[in-house]
Amino acid sequence: MKTRLRLLFLLLFSTSLIIAQQPKKPTASDIHESIKKLNFLGSVLYVAAHPDDENTRLISYMSNEVKARTAYLSLTRGDGGQNLIGPEIRELLGVIRTQELLAARRTDGGEQRFTRANDFGYSKHPDETLAIWNKEQVLSDVVLAIRQFKPDVIINRFNHRNPGTTHGHHTSSAMLSIEAFDLVGNKNAYPNQLSMVDVWQPKRLFFNTGWWFYGSHENFEKADKSDLLQIDTGVYFPSNGLSNPEIAALSRSQHKSQGFGSTGRRGSQIEYIELIKGDLPSDKTNVFEGIDTSWNRIEGGNAIGDILYAVQNNFDFKNPSASIPELVRGYNAIQNLKDSHWKTLKTKEIKDIIAACAGLYLEATANTNHATAGSSVNLNLEVINRSDANITLLNIINPNGLSIEKNLALENNARFNFRETLEISKNEKVSTPYWLTKKGSLGMYSVDDKNLIGEPETPRALNIKFNLSIANIPISFTKPIVYKTNDPVKGEVYKPFEIIPEASAKISEKVIILDSDTQRDIEVIVKAGRDSLEGYVQLAHPNNWSVYPDKQKINISDKGQEQRLIFTVIPPKEQSEGLFTPMVHVGSNIYTKELIEIDYDHIPLQTVLLPSESKIVRLDIKKRGESIGYIEGAGDVVPESLRQIGYNVAVLKPEDITSENLKRFDAIVVGIRAYNTVEDLKFKQQLLFDYVAQGGNMIVQYNTSHRVKVDQIAPYDLKLSRDRVTDENADVRLLATSHEVLNFPNKITKNDFEGWTQERGLYFPNEWAPEFTSILSMNDNGESPKTGSLLVANHGKGHYIYTGLSFFREFPAGVSGAYRLFANMLSLGKNDINQTNQIKN
């Protein structure tokens, strides 16, 4: 694996795998490949619904073999999915998946775009999808993306002709793409966009089909393929020792929160694309047939082509800097182009190539990774020319527009370091994903700045501009300010330089459950964004709750430090719930947001500001038992949630699952998708079944039928399916009304299924042995009843429960009924104190 990653660095300098802000360090082979791409003037836009929907084989092929500018338009950021690497869900998961897509594009050479559509969860039909999304807004975003990117060819991942047979988001992405294809060239369609972009008409639109859309290999073999292009994406790149599918697999493997690690393949691999709109190429392997992709396609391009094709053909791999004079000539000629689209794109490309040929290193690092508006930071500016090219550093422009004159000749390999102080504007905005700065709807993000729509992330606001003279031609390079440090294990580590508020706060628990009207102490954590922070904190709360004291002082000496405060909450006597928000008063300012950092090795550190809210519930709940063993699967917060209602929860690793150890627990809970993700559970399953037979209580949460690690999920036959109920308000019918799980120790009624979020549940079993009792029935509108959401079976002296109900979503949302039902599941068989003693003994 390390060898493959090393080789991948040699692929394209413009698509380095190095994460965060780390500078690119291209090889001569990288530079030559970039020159080839500079000389190809054609674009491909791939369209689908979610992160991980894209075909990385085709994206990599178009970018690295064809040399086309290639982008993936994902309509959503994947907010509604599951997270296999941590506890983040919803908005924070969307931030992770956004960065995973950017990491994938750095790997396969593509670019990334989005719309404002919010992934609200699984949808069974595009009618539902487009009713929850604002169809007009999403369609306008697709039109805008096409007008901005100006693709010659669009390729849809999904089929627009089979609504209701797959995820509604999938079909909707294809339908909107096709509708947009006919609108983008019409100046009367979304005319408000024309102040930012021009109309544009792509030449062809395809559907990326394959045998799976035909139901079987046999059906596909029989199908009429006269409208299909066949592209062999299995090409091998000798310059870096990787096949295209191997690069695609590395790209696919960036989707770690989805668990989509992929093994690279070698050899021929055919991709099929079906023509939907436009003229069918006679060459069934060339999507660009009949489209001029040379410099001749633009006015004034012929002379530029004469220069740059010669640079490509005469490139000296031992001395890339020999190409600089002609590259600078080409750069100068590009500045005279009338076509602003290609002028902008090719200017950026050729500047990067010139810098790479010169071994030019330009960097601006701050002495901290966080600062506040109105503060100052120390900067280190590094400039080095590692070639014999005639280069002069004219001046440096800081983010405030201040010019720092230099006029230094940059001789070969002479390193220059400059120390500067940056005074950050008092009006500088905080760093956070732009789509999260304002509350949106269930289906849409709200973005006030229309110039940001479609951007994958918030553009860096604080940059340093280096103005150079190269071969006597002025060329400028803009670099974002970054933070660089040395980690004793990882070595050189880069982080984004972020602007944060002077104060942020959170309640230490996102959901607090109180099972009586007894007062409860809660902890508020205040974090300083600057030195010498003074002020006070209050808690905003519902009127029928009381908080003591009313306010507390804060005094924090150093930036980054936290102060912890204890407030006493007095709940009402009746069942109630509400949101509590810490309010930090500093001078005349009030801060009500929480600063969240998302830190995983495969993506850059993310700083997110969200409204600081905790849900506190005065809940009428009873329970039996005390000790719970929790076997973790994919990331969820169920253990913390069970602690909230008074259970002692021990997280168990596979090696902790022994007969003797299991006897300690009143119940064992298996986390979501544990049987999909924890290989060693296949050796522990019989021990768990024996625990149940001896009087234990075992609860298994949802798994998928794909990649199950155990031979038998339950002690009796149980078959998983893709059945799910996506409407969180779907009617729930109580089937086994006399069953203990609906009656003890809490009486469960339909009211307990009110206020659920995103869905009822997923991947329900659809076949099971007669030993199981089906407890609930539910279904989405127009579908048959689904009775596999909660199944209970006696096994020996104990109970085995399988549930696809989405407790992992309901607990973080503080849904009262979900807690009451789960307490009953944990208490099953414990309505007699003697039974409890028997289990423990």
Side-chain angles (χ1 to χ4, degrees):
M1 183 61 183
K2 289 182 179 178
T3 301
R4 287 188 179 180
L5 287 176
R6 182 180 62 81
L7 289 171
L8 184 59
F9 287 144
L10 306 180
L11 177 59
L12 283 173
F13 85 88
S14 60
T15 59
S16 169
L17 186 62
I18 302 173
I19 65 172
Q21 316 295 308
Q22 194 163 353
K24 300 164 185 173
K25 299 169 183 176
T27 67
S29 293
D30 298 334
I31 297 169
H32 190 240
E33 294 301 314
S34 297
I35 295 171
K36 292 180 184 177
K37 199 159 190 170
L38 176 68
N39 285 329
F40 190 95
L41 280 70
S43 304
V44 177
L45 182 66
Y46 199 89
V47 180
H50 309 108
D52 71 47
D53 282 344
E54 82 275 30
N55 184 338
T56 56
R57 294 182 301 275
L58 204 50
I59 290 174
S60 178
Y61 176 86
M62 290 295 171
S63 178
N64 299 319
E65 173 67 10
V66 179
K67 306 301 181 190
R69 182 181 179 223
T70 308
Y72 174 41
L73 174 61
S74 176
L75 267 60
T76 76
R77 296 177 185 268
D79 325 70
Q82 288 84 52
N83 184 0
L84 297 189
I85 61 174
E88 298 89 355
I89 58 175
R90 292 304 302 149
E91 292 89 351
L92 296 180
L93 178 58
V95 173
I96 291 173
R97 292 194 172 175
T98 294
Q99 292 299 320
E100 288 180 336
L101 273 177
L102 290 171
R105 299 294 79 79
R106 286 191 291 270
T107 306
D108 59 34
E111 300 175 32
Q112 187 60 52
R113 304 294 293 174
F114 292 96
T115 75
R116 287 170 288 173
N118 190 341
D119 177 5
F120 56 83
Y122 193 87
S123 173
K124 294 182 177 178
H125 199 280
D127 289 349
E128 178 194 34
T129 299
L130 297 174
I132 295 175
W133 289 349
N134 182 321
K135 181 194 171 184
E136 275 304 301
Q137 286 187 2
V138 181
L139 179 59
S140 75
D141 289 358
V142 176
V143 169
L144 179 63
I146 296 172
R147 286 173 170 173
Q148 287 174 329
F149 192 75
K150 298 187 183 300
D152 299 297
V153 174
I154 297 174
I155 303 175
N156 290 343
R157 166 77 280 190
F158 297 108
N159 192 349
H160 64 289
R161 295 163 294 202
N162 58 353
T165 62
T166 183
H167 198 324
H169 297 183
H170 292 171
T171 311
S172 295
S173 71
M175 294 167 63
L176 292 171
S177 174
I178 288 172
E179 192 170 348
F181 186 91
D182 293 330
L183 294 175
V184 290
N186 182 353
K187 65 181 181 181
N188 295 317
Y190 306 107
N192 58 309
Q193 296 179 358
L194 299 183
S195 62
M196 302 182 293
V197 293
D198 297 324
V199 295
W200 175 255
Q201 186 55 57
K203 299 297 189 295
R204 299 181 180 112
L205 186 147
F206 295 95
F207 158 45
N208 185 191
T209 189
W211 67 264
W212 51 92
F213 289 102
Y214 291 76
S216 67
H217 288 283
E218 184 179 6
N219 289 344
F220 187 58
E221 289 298 321
K222 297 176 182 177
D224 179 10
K225 298 185 181 62
S226 57
D227 284 349
L228 302 188
L229 273 67
Q230 301 183 30
I231 301 170
D232 188 351
T233 62
V235 294
Y236 173 66
F237 301 112
S239 61
N240 54 61
L242 290 173
S243 69
N244 186 69
E246 287 176 305
I247 296 169
L250 290 168
S251 172
R252 184 74 170 167
S253 297
Q254 300 307 309
H255 296 300
K256 298 184 189 302
S257 66
Q258 278 283 72
F260 279 159
S262 181
T263 300
R265 287 181 53 186
R266 289 146 295 281
S268 177
Q269 192 166 355
I270 303 298
E271 288 289 339
Y272 295 90
I273 56 175
E274 176 188 354
L275 183 72
I276 302 298
K277 286 182 176 290
D279 59 303
L280 183 67
S282 57
D283 180 355
K284 296 295 185 67
T285 66
N286 182 9
V287 299
F288 285 101
E289 184 187 71
I291 301 171
D292 190 350
T293 58
S294 72
W295 281 101
N296 293 331
R297 79 176 292 171
I298 53 177
E299 183 182 347
N302 188 38
I304 298 171
D306 289 343
I307 298 170
L308 296 181
Y309 293 133
V311 170
Q312 177 180 325
N313 294 332
N314 300 323
F315 183 74
D316 185 347
F317 285 85
K318 293 183 178 180
N319 182 22
S321 64
S323 297
I324 290 177
E326 289 303 287
L327 284 168
V328 170
R329 275 188 66 210
Y331 166 84
N332 213 26
I334 289 171
Q335 305 319 297
N336 297 320
L337 287 175
K338 295 179 180 179
D339 188 315
S340 61
H341 173 72
W342 287 111
K343 176 182 176 180
T344 299
L345 292 177
K346 295 304 176 181
T347 293
K348 181 182 184 306
E349 287 182 38
I350 200 168
K351 281 169 58 175
D352 289 343
I353 293 169
I354 291 169
C357 285
L360 190 62
Y361 192 91
L362 306 170
E363 185 174 80
T365 58
N367 64 334
T368 177
N369 68 317
H370 289 150
T372 56
S375 67
S376 62
V377 295
N378 295 324
L379 301 180
N380 179 62
L381 309 179
E382 182 177 345
V383 179
I384 184 168
N385 165 29
R386 291 171 289 189
S387 74
D388 290 325
N390 177 19
I391 302 178
T392 300
L393 173 62
L394 302 175
N395 57 45
I396 297 170
I397 310 295
N398 79 3
N400 299 323
L402 177 66
S403 176
I404 306 165
E405 298 302 316
K406 295 299 179 183
N407 292 314
L408 291 173
L410 302 180
E411 297 184 0
N412 190 349
N413 220 26
R415 180 170 175 243
F416 293 89
N417 278 91
F418 311 106
R419 306 286 182 178
E420 301 291 342
T421 299
L422 172 65
E423 301 292 336
I424 300 171
S425 167
K426 292 181 179 179
N427 298 318
E428 191 65 50
K429 293 181 180 179
V430 294
S431 305
T432 194
Y434 70 85
W435 61 95
L436 298 179
T437 57
K438 185 177 179 181
K439 186 174 178 60
S441 65
L442 174 63
M444 296 295 297
Y445 282 117
S446 179
V447 180
D448 287 336
D449 187 346
K450 304 308 178 188
N451 292 310
L452 292 177
I453 292 174
E455 290 289 336
E457 56 186 342
T458 306
R460 292 282 126 190
L462 298 177
N463 303 285
I464 297 293
K465 186 176 182 181
F466 297 87
N467 288 322
L468 307 177
S469 170
I470 303 178
N472 298 315
I473 297 295
I475 303 177
S476 64
F477 297 86
T478 300
K479 299 292 181 179
I481 297 173
V482 296
Y483 172 67
K484 181 169 68 173
T485 187
N486 183 71
D487 183 276
V489 175
K490 300 176 183 178
E492 187 178 65
V493 173
Y494 283 76
K495 293 181 181 179
F497 175 67
E498 308 279 36
I499 302 301
I500 62 173
E502 60 179 343
S504 58
K506 65 179 180 180
I507 297 174
S508 57
E509 299 165 292
K510 282 300 176 187
V511 176
I512 299 175
I513 307 295
L514 305 177
D515 59 2
S516 72
D517 60 358
T518 303
Q519 67 185 35
R520 162 82 178 270
D521 288 344
I522 65 172
E523 182 181 58
V524 174
I525 304 171
V526 181
K527 186 171 186 177
R530 64 169 174 83
D531 294 338
S532 304
L533 184 74
E534 295 184 8
Y536 66 91
V537 180
Q538 291 181 300
L539 271 182
H541 58 85
N543 291 333
N544 59 337
W545 294 68
S546 298
V547 173
Y548 178 82
D550 176 58
K551 59 185 179 182
Q552 297 191 56
K553 289 184 178 181
I554 55 168
N555 190 329
I556 306 176
S557 58
D558 297 318
K559 179 177 75 170
Q561 283 190 332
E562 296 177 342
Q563 183 174 340
R564 296 170 182 260
L565 307 169
I566 301 298
F567 286 85
T568 299
V569 172
I570 305 171
K573 292 188 177 298
E574 68 279 0
Q575 182 163 311
S576 176
E577 61 184 52
L579 295 176
F580 282 60
T581 295
M583 304 169 62
V584 184
H585 297 253
V586 180
S588 60
N589 297 319
I590 301 175
Y591 298 95
T592 60
K593 291 194 174 182
E594 175 184 359
L595 183 69
I596 302 166
E597 289 191 338
I598 302 174
D599 192 6
Y600 292 101
D601 285 344
H602 67 299
I603 60 175
L605 177 73
Q606 297 296 296
T607 301
V608 184
L609 274 174
L610 291 179
S612 183
E613 295 177 338
S614 288
K615 188 172 185 179
I616 303 187
V617 181
R618 160 69 172 95
L619 176 60
D620 179 16
I621 187 171
K622 303 177 182 66
K623 64 184 181 63
R624 295 293 185 273
E626 296 180 357
S627 297
I628 306 299
Y630 196 89
I631 301 169
E632 287 186 319
D636 64 55
V637 295
V638 172
E640 292 88 337
S641 301
L642 297 181
R643 293 184 185 112
Q644 283 284 346
I645 55 175
Y647 283 103
N648 297 318
V649 182
V651 175
L652 303 179
K653 299 184 182 300
E655 57 267 27
D656 299 326
I657 303 173
T658 65
S659 297
E660 193 61 32
N661 201 21
L662 292 176
K663 292 178 182 179
R664 300 167 40 213
F665 300 107
D666 296 301
I668 297 294
V669 180
V670 181
I672 61 173
R673 296 186 67 175
Y675 292 144
N676 299 133
T677 59
V678 185
E679 189 82 30
D680 286 349
L681 285 182
K682 64 186 177 183
F683 305 118
K684 302 294 182 176
Q685 193 72 328
Q686 190 56 51
L687 289 175
L688 292 168
F689 292 161
D690 291 344
Y691 161 79
V692 177
Q694 293 162 14
N697 191 358
M698 180 179 177
I699 300 170
V700 178
Q701 298 175 86
Y702 95 93
N703 288 266
T704 68
S705 58
H706 182 56
R707 294 180 178 174
V708 176
K709 308 294 186 183
V710 297
D711 296 329
Q712 197 174 356
I713 286 178
Y716 307 111
D717 288 342
L718 184 75
K719 184 178 179 180
L720 302 180
S721 74
R722 297 186 64 83
D723 287 351
R724 63 200 301 162
V725 176
T726 62
D727 182 358
E728 64 269 33
N729 299 310
D731 182 44
V732 176
R733 298 170 291 277
L734 310 182
L735 298 180
T737 55
S738 61
H739 197 285
E740 184 179 341
V741 80
L742 294 181
N743 293 280
F744 179 83
N746 304 288
K747 179 67 176 178
I748 302 299
T749 69
K750 285 195 172 186
N751 292 338
D752 289 295
F753 294 94
E754 294 179 359
W756 284 50
T757 182
Q758 186 162 326
E759 62 195 351
R760 289 295 190 196
L762 62 171
Y763 299 109
F764 300 158
N766 62 353
E767 296 180 21
W768 52 84
E771 286 83 357
F772 283 103
T773 298
S774 177
I775 305 299
L776 306 172
S777 175
M778 59 189 72
N779 57 272
D780 283 320
N781 186 38
E783 294 191 353
S784 61
K786 306 295 185 289
T787 58
S789 64
L790 180 57
L791 301 171
V792 183
N794 294 331
H795 181 56
K797 298 177 182 179
H799 300 85
Y800 175 94
I801 301 172
Y802 187 91
T803 181
L805 295 171
S806 58
F807 291 103
F808 72 102
R809 295 197 190 280
E810 312 316 317
F811 286 168
V815 177
S816 302
Y819 279 94
R820 284 164 46 84
L821 178 57
F822 210 92
N824 279 18
M825 292 158 57
L826 292 169
S827 303
L828 195 59
K830 297 176 177 61
N831 56 346
D832 182 347
I833 192 64
N834 292 326
Q835 287 181 305
T836 304
N837 291 334
Q838 184 179 9
I839 291 171
K840 290 191 173 183
N841 294 327

